[in-house]
Amino acid sequence: MDFSSNDRAQWKAELEAYESRLESLAKADLVSLDSFYRKELPLLLRQRDPDPFISKAELVRLMRWKLSRGKWRPRLLDFVSSLEEEEVQLASKKGFASLPDLSKAISSLTVMKGVGPATASAILAAYAPDIAPFMSDEAMMAAMGSVKEYTLKQYMFFAEKLQQKAKELSGEGECFTASDVERALWSSAMGSKSLSSSTKVEPRAKSNKSSKRKRKH
């Protein structure tokens, strides 16, 4: 999907296809992890207002979700699993308290080993989806044309673009958050990959039939 498009119906369709495309990946525990991340965790964080924090166990589950939905990097999970509970709660309290200053919030979270800007953005997105979209490979590629720079500076550009897109798409009874935009972009990328895979299979099948016919001659 073209990031510059303001076709609200198309964006909504991609967002609504998110869950089915997530399921189509057939990855162990991904659906349950996604449910935890999108539905349970936000409620837990809000219940802790006015001084929200994320626990170590919740951060480990969040990391599992992030790695399962994207590229699996076991060392990151090892780093996060080795963190102390007090360390996680203290850093996350500072991060959430820094909002809406995204730069300060990300910097407060990345003091934890294994937590870079992308993971920090996932933590913040669970609490403030309107201003802190998750820095996924797919959304980065669509919005920025690059997935190489996972830096604070790059995230700030990325977040601003998704916030602006959310504003452009909201209206006429529809309300998009920056996180909705990220999920729509991820969903669109998965849909394109699926379509690409299916079209690649057909020529091979024809090729096999053709070679069988040749052997019969």
Side-chain angles (χ1 to χ4, degrees), residues 50-211:
D51 195 19
F53 63 87
I54 190 170
S55 70
K56 175 184 172 180
E58 291 160 358
L59 178 57
V60 170
R61 290 184 74 183
L62 179 150
M63 181 63 84
R64 286 185 179 278
W65 166 80
K66 173 181 176 287
L67 298 178
S68 295
R69 207 187 76 156
K71 295 180 180 178
W72 188 261
R73 300 181 178 92
R75 287 195 67 192
L76 291 181
L77 188 58
D78 291 340
F79 287 147
V80 168
S81 298
S82 69
L83 294 170
E84 297 293 331
E85 180 69 37
E86 184 179 2
E87 180 184 6
V88 174
Q89 291 195 22
L90 181 60
S92 59
K93 281 183 180 181
K94 287 182 178 179
F96 292 130
S98 298
L99 293 171
D101 187 335
L102 267 184
S103 179
K104 187 177 180 181
I106 292 288
S107 297
S108 296
L109 292 167
T110 53
V111 298
M112 293 185 283
K113 190 172 184 179
V115 176
T119 301
S121 72
I123 296 171
L124 296 175
Y127 182 74
D130 52 331
I131 61 173
F134 170 47
M135 195 182 197
S136 65
D137 290 348
E138 294 77 13
M140 281 279 286
M141 183 67 78
M144 312 292 287
S146 171
V147 295
K148 295 179 181 179
E149 290 184 45
Y150 283 87
T151 62
L152 173 58
K153 181 179 179 180
Q154 189 80 336
Y155 178 68
M156 295 305 293
F157 286 134
F158 170 76
E160 184 178 358
K161 291 194 75 169
L162 267 64
Q163 289 169 11
Q164 182 58 42
K165 179 55 64 177
K167 289 179 182 177
E168 293 171 2
L169 294 172
S170 295
E172 297 182 8
E174 298 292 342
C175 181
F176 280 78
T177 65
S179 291
D180 287 333
V181 173
E182 185 278 323
R183 277 194 289 275
L185 292 173
W186 183 89
S187 175
S188 177
M190 292 304 103
S192 295
K193 283 183 180 179
S194 177
L195 182 61
S196 176
S197 296
S198 64
T199 54
K200 285 180 180 178
V201 170
E202 290 183 8
R204 287 176 186 165
K206 290 179 181 179
S207 176
N208 289 337
K209 289 180 181 179
S210 176
S211 61

